[in-house]
Amino acid sequence: MKNILAAIALSVCATATAQTDYSFHDTSLPDSVRVEKVLRQLTLDEKIALLGTNLGIERLGIPSCGTVEGLHGLSLGSPGARHPEYNRPTTIFPQAYGLGESWDTTLVRRVAEQAATEARYYTQHPRSIRRALVMFAPNADMGRDPRWGRTEECFGEDPRLTAALTVATARGLQGDNPRYWRVASLMKHFLANSNEFGRDSSNSVFDERLFRDYYSYPFMKGIRDGGSRAFMAAYNSWNGTPMAIHPCLDSIARREWGQNGIICTDGGAFGLLVDAHRRYATRPEGAAAIVKAGTGMFLDRYNDDIREALAKGYCTEQDIEYAIRGNIYVALKLGLLDDPASTGNPYASIGLDTTAVAPHETPQARALAREAVSRSAVLLKNAGLLPLRLDTVRSVALIGPYADNIVQDWYSGMPPYTVTIRRALQEELAPRGIELLYATDNRMDSAMTVAAKADVAIICTGNHPFGTKPDWKFCPVMSDGREADDRRALRLPDEELIREVVRANPRTVLVLVSSFPYALGQAADEAQAILKTTHCAQEQGHGIVDVLTGRVNPAGRTTQTWPADILDLPPMMDYDIRNGRTYMYSKAEPLYPFGYGLSYTTFDYSDLKVSTDGDTLRVSFTLRNTGDRDGEEVPQMYLRIGKDEPYKLRAFDRVAVPAGGEKRVVLTLPMADAGDWRPAERDFRLSAGTRAEVAVGASSADLRLHDSFKVKK
C-alpha cells in the first residue's frame, strides 16, 4: 500500500512541475487532438476533480463551468433561496409535459434557445459568480404509466414523439454553430426510470426489442440527430444491473451511438450501489465500478472513495482518463478550451454588455412564454361553450385553487413575474364592463354562490406539484405526485367541487391545471368544456385567456393515453408495455386517446397518396378546414407492420389552415427509420417484401385515411 501511494504522489509532483502546454487552444486541430493535449498534462488530482460537476481546470486556464436544471426554462432560483446568486429570475415556461402537448418541435426548440441564452447570460455576466453551461435537459424518459410521479418532466408515452421533441430541445439548447455549443444538453434519465417508489433499487425488466424500439429510442435520436453528447444514468437497474454501471453505457451509447461526451450518475446514485442495490460491499468498490463503466461525472460525494479505490487497485488512472475524456470534449464544445483572447465563439459575448436588456426581460421572452401556454393547451371537451362569447356575458365566476395561483415544480426557476388566470381574465373583462366574481373553494357555499350569480363559471383545479415543499417523500393527496413519490390514485381531488358548481351553473368550463392525466369520472360528463394546461408558466393567465376567448384556436394534443379508470392500467412495475400499456397495447377504452385534442373549427382529410423511392417514405393528403375559423391541425401518420402488430406513430406535423381553405400536407419518413428494431440486421429498416399499412388521422383513435405499400427487395 505504501509503495502504491508513494508512486501516486511522485506522479502528481512530476506532472505538476511540467511546463504547461497551451497548444490545446489551437482551434485548427481536430477536437480529439485538443482533448488529448489537455488530458495528457493533467495531474492525478485534476483528473479526480474532473469526475465532479466542474469542467474547469484552473492551472490550465480552463474556466470553471458547472451544471444546471432546465426542463422548462433555466432554473437559477427559487423562492426562499438564501444566496442571491441562486435566486436569479429566468423565463419560466409550461412544464415539459405541457410543452410536449404542443406537438410543436419549432416551439420546443425556441423555448430551449431562450433557456440556453439565459444560461450564457448569467454565466458570462461580469457580476455573476455562478458558471453553469451543462443543462440537465431534456428528460427523454418514456411516460409509460400516468401514475409515475415525474410524468411532469417527460414528453409523453410515445418514443417517436418523445424523440422528435428531444432532438428539438437538444438542438435549441446547443445551437447551430458547427464548432461551438450555446450550452450542453444533458439528457436524463437513461434508462427506463419511470417509478419513484423504490427507484433507488428497483429493477426494470424488458427485452432488447423494447430497449431499442421504446425505452432507449429517444436517447439514441437525441445523440445521433440532436447532437447531445451528455446524459444521466438512472437510479434503477435494467435486467438486474444498475444503470450507473451498466455495460450498455459503453458498448451501446459510446461505441455504437457515438456518445463521446459526459455520462453522469444521478444525484446520490453512487452511494445507492452500496446502500440500496447492495451491489458492492464498500464505497471504493462502487466508485471504481462506476468509473470502469465509463461514467465520468459523479453527482455525489466521491473524492476519498475514488482515491482509496486507486490505492487498492480497484481501478486505474487510465480508467479515470477514459471516463473523463468526454467531460473535456464537452468543455471544448462550450469554448472553454479556447484562448481567452479568441473571438471565434459566437456565444462568448452574451452577458458581457451590462447595459443590454437581460434576456428574460425582453418583450420577445414574454411573448414566447405566452405563446407556449396557448399552443400547448389541449381542448378535451367542448359542448359549444367555448370560445366564450363575451358580447353576451355580463358576469363570469372564476373558482378554484389555481385560478389566482401559479405554482412552481421541483425543477422550476424563479420567474420575473407571473400572470395568473384571474389577473388576465380581469384585464380582459374589465374594459368590457363584465363583472368577475371569484372564490377559491366552496367554503360557506362561496363557489356555488358566485357560480349561480354568473353567466359562465370557470373552475381552475388540478394537482399540486409540491415544488418547494420541504417534506421530500410525501404528497398528502394520493392523486398528486412528484420526484420520489408516485401517484396512488387518478381521481381529481376537486371532483365534488366541480359537480357542485355545475349544479349551480350548468355553463361551466373546467380548466385543468395538471402535470398528469386524470380519470375525470363524472366531471368529464358534467362540465360543458374542459381545457388542459400545465403548471409553472409565468404567462399562464394570458395564454389560457387567449384560448378561452378564441383569440387563439387551440391545437394541443394529449401525449399519453388518459385511462377511464385506474383499474385499466397494468401493474406499476411491469415494464413490458406489450402487457396492455400505452395506446399501442392497451385493450381498455380510454377516456381520451393518445394524440387527441379538439379545435374551434373542424378538419377534413382526403386524397391519400403513399410512395417510396427506397430511401424515403412520402405520405401526402389534402387537409381542409371545414369550419369558419382559422385553425391548426396536428395530422399524425401511423404504420402497422403485420396484422398482429399495433399501429405506431411514425410522423406528424402541426399545420395551419385558414377557414374554408385547404393544404396539401406531406409527411416524410426515412426508410432507414420506418420499422421496428431488427436484431440480426441491427437497424430499424423494414425488411424487403414487407407490406406495411399506413394510416393518417387526428389521433391514435381517429385514423381517417388508410393505404399500404410493399417494401421492394
Side-chain angles (χ1 to χ4, degrees):
M1 174 67 73
K2 290 182 179 180
N3 291 337
I4 294 174
L5 291 174
I8 292 174
L10 287 172
S11 172
V12 170
C13 293
T15 309
T17 57
Q19 184 176 2
T20 303
D21 175 12
Y22 290 105
S23 61
F24 61 81
H25 285 163
D26 186 353
T27 58
S28 69
L29 295 173
D31 290 347
S32 59
V33 173
R34 297 178 69 194
V35 168
E36 291 303 316
K37 282 181 173 291
V38 171
L39 188 60
R40 292 280 72 86
Q41 58 183 317
L42 295 181
T43 67
L44 180 59
D45 284 344
E46 288 166 340
K47 293 172 186 176
I48 292 174
L50 274 178
L51 289 169
T53 57
N54 182 12
L55 300 181
I57 306 166
E58 183 178 0
R59 180 177 62 86
L60 300 183
I62 299 174
S64 62
C65 175
T67 61
V68 65
E69 298 286 350
L71 287 178
H72 52 96
L74 176 64
S75 179
L76 268 189
S78 62
R82 295 182 179 180
H83 196 290
E85 191 61 31
Y86 292 86
N87 207 17
R88 302 292 191 183
T90 57
T91 309
I92 302 302
F93 299 94
Q95 292 172 300
Y97 190 76
L99 293 173
E101 288 174 321
S102 73
W103 287 62
D104 188 340
T105 56
T106 300
L107 173 71
V108 168
R109 180 166 180 163
R110 290 165 60 207
V111 167
E113 288 171 353
Q114 180 68 30
T117 298
E118 293 179 17
R120 274 283 175 178
Y121 172 84
Y122 277 120
T123 292
Q124 297 173 171
H125 194 283
R127 290 193 296 272
S128 179
I129 63 171
R130 187 178 181 192
R131 303 179 60 85
L133 294 177
V134 178
M135 190 173 289
F136 292 154
N139 188 322
D141 287 317
M142 298 308 307
R144 67 181 176 97
D145 193 304
R147 292 169 293 188
W148 179 33
R150 298 179 80 169
T151 295
E152 66 194 32
E153 297 183 30
C154 79
F155 289 130
E157 72 182 21
D158 182 81
R160 301 298 176 115
L161 174 64
T162 298
L165 297 170
T166 294
V167 168
T169 302
R171 288 179 175 174
L173 292 175
Q174 298 189 167
D176 293 324
N177 188 275
R179 182 183 296 278
Y180 297 100
W181 293 338
R182 192 184 287 109
V183 303
S185 169
L186 189 150
M187 301 178 290
K188 56 182 191 176
H189 312 80
F190 188 81
L191 169 99
N193 178 80
S194 53
N195 62 277
E196 296 304 297
F197 294 137
R199 65 178 181 165
D200 58 359
S201 57
S202 62
N203 184 28
S204 303
V205 178
F206 52 89
D207 58 19
E208 184 191 12
R209 179 181 173 188
L210 286 180
F211 174 87
R212 298 286 186 167
D213 288 337
Y214 193 71
Y215 291 106
S216 78
Y217 187 85
F219 290 94
M220 181 269 291
K221 298 298 280 187
I223 293 167
R224 287 184 169 177
D225 295 356
S228 170
R229 290 297 184 270
F231 67 70
M232 178 185 295
Y235 287 121
N236 57 282
S237 294
W238 171 39
N239 292 351
T241 302
M243 289 310 305
I245 60 169
H246 204 288
C248 73
L249 300 178
D250 188 61
S251 63
I252 296 177
R254 288 209 188 278
R255 300 181 185 275
E256 183 179 327
W257 297 342
Q259 210 298 53
N260 60 337
I262 295 171
I263 297 179
C264 73
T265 70
D266 203 339
F270 159 39
L272 295 177
L273 289 179
V274 177
D275 301 331
H277 286 282
R278 306 213 178 265
R279 185 80 174 191
Y280 301 100
T282 67
R283 287 177 62 90
E285 291 174 277
I290 286 174
V291 168
K292 292 173 76 171
T295 304
M297 181 178 285
F298 287 79
L299 270 63
D300 207 340
R301 174 177 59 83
Y302 72 92
N303 198 299
D304 292 342
D305 301 298
I306 201 68
R307 290 181 184 278
E308 186 174 341
L310 284 167
K312 291 183 175 179
Y314 296 156
C315 65
T316 66
E317 188 171 351
Q318 288 70 38
D319 293 328
I320 295 176
E321 290 178 359
Y322 182 76
I324 65 172
R325 186 174 277 106
N327 302 17
I328 301 171
Y329 174 75
V330 169
L332 179 149
K333 296 297 290 183
L334 292 171
L336 305 181
L337 269 57
D338 287 7
D339 187 327
S342 171
T343 59
N345 184 351
Y347 308 121
S349 62
I350 299 173
L352 297 184
D353 183 358
T354 57
T355 66
V357 176
H360 65 275
E361 295 178 346
T362 65
Q364 293 82 2
R366 298 182 180 191
L368 180 59
R370 181 172 183 164
E371 181 185 355
V373 175
S374 63
R375 291 183 71 79
S376 62
V378 184
L379 184 61
L380 295 172
K381 179 182 179 182
N382 189 20
L385 185 54
L386 294 180
L388 296 175
R389 296 167 180 83
L390 296 182
D391 56 340
T392 65
V393 171
R394 293 170 298 175
S395 60
V396 174
L398 184 63
I399 300 161
Y402 302 117
D404 197 28
N405 184 23
I406 294 177
V407 185
Q408 300 304 318
D409 65 22
W410 187 249
Y411 288 114
S412 284
M414 184 181 71
Y417 66 91
T418 56
V419 179
T420 66
I421 295 173
R422 183 184 183 185
R423 174 180 159 185
L425 197 57
Q426 184 65 47
E427 292 174 2
E428 188 76 27
L429 300 182
R432 302 170 183 264
I434 301 173
E435 183 180 13
L436 180 62
L437 308 172
Y438 173 69
T440 304
D441 51 38
N442 201 32
R443 298 178 195 184
M444 301 178 68
D445 299 326
S446 57
M448 294 177 66
T449 299
V450 297
K453 291 180 179 179
D455 296 312
V456 175
I458 302 172
I459 305 176
C460 305
T461 189
N463 72 297
H464 193 297
F466 294 92
T468 58
K469 186 175 176 62
D471 191 342
W472 169 246
K473 292 188 177 181
F474 178 65
C475 287
V477 179
M478 288 199 300
S479 59
D480 286 348
R482 55 157 289 173
E483 182 170 357
D485 196 356
D486 286 320
R487 304 169 75 199
R488 291 155 287 165
L490 298 182
R491 286 289 185 183
L492 191 62
D494 285 329
E495 183 177 347
E496 288 78 7
L497 171 64
I498 297 168
R499 298 185 65 202
E500 288 172 321
V501 170
V502 170
R503 175 177 294 182
N505 188 338
R507 290 171 54 82
T508 295
V509 179
L510 168 59
V511 176
L512 190 59
V513 188
S514 169
S515 310
F516 315 99
Y518 277 96
L520 291 176
Q522 286 184 280
D525 298 325
E526 297 182 3
Q528 283 200 12
I530 303 174
L531 184 66
K532 161 73 168 59
T533 189
T534 53
H535 288 285
C536 303
Q538 65 190 48
E539 283 281 353
Q540 181 185 91
H542 284 145
I544 290 303
V545 170
D546 284 343
V547 176
L548 291 174
T549 60
R551 189 176 296 114
V552 172
N553 193 344
R557 297 292 186 268
T558 58
T559 62
Q560 279 185 300
T561 302
W562 286 49
D565 193 293
I566 196 170
L567 298 180
D568 295 339
L569 297 173
M572 182 69 177
M573 293 308 297
D574 184 356
Y575 271 79
D576 188 339
I577 65 169
R578 293 165 297 202
N579 293 330
R581 205 182 294 281
T582 79
Y583 76 94
M584 292 180 279
Y585 298 102
S586 176
K587 304 301 181 185
E589 185 71 21
L591 177 63
Y592 301 114
F594 171 81
Y596 169 84
L598 301 176
S599 170
Y600 296 150
T601 188
T602 53
F603 295 91
D604 178 70
Y605 292 69
S606 63
D607 194 21
L608 178 65
K609 303 291 185 185
V610 178
S611 64
T612 177
D613 60 4
D615 294 323
T616 303
L617 174 66
R618 290 172 55 88
V619 176
S620 64
F621 52 94
T622 298
L623 183 66
R624 184 166 181 262
N625 184 336
T626 55
D628 57 3
R629 286 179 176 269
D630 296 346
E632 291 181 297
E633 175 73 331
V634 182
Q636 303 155 42
M637 186 263 281
Y638 295 77
L639 291 186
R640 180 163 69 180
I641 316 301
K643 63 179 182 179
D644 295 328
E645 289 294 314
Y647 278 107
K648 298 180 181 180
L649 182 72
R650 285 296 185 259
F652 63 92
D653 197 4
R654 182 161 172 155
V655 182
V657 186
E662 64 180 41
K663 285 191 176 179
R664 190 67 184 172
V665 179
V666 180
L667 300 178
T668 61
L669 177 67
M671 291 297 288
D673 204 31
D676 291 333
W677 178 251
R678 302 190 300 173
E681 295 83 0
R682 319 259 334 143
D683 63 26
F684 292 94
R685 286 188 173 276
L686 294 174
S687 300
T690 298
R691 178 161 293 281
E693 297 178 48
V694 180
V696 173
S699 81
S700 61
D702 185 12
L703 301 177
R704 305 183 189 182
L705 303 176
H706 296 264
D707 201 348
S708 65
F709 68 95
K710 187 174 182 180
V711 180
K712 296 179 180 179
K713 296 182 179 179

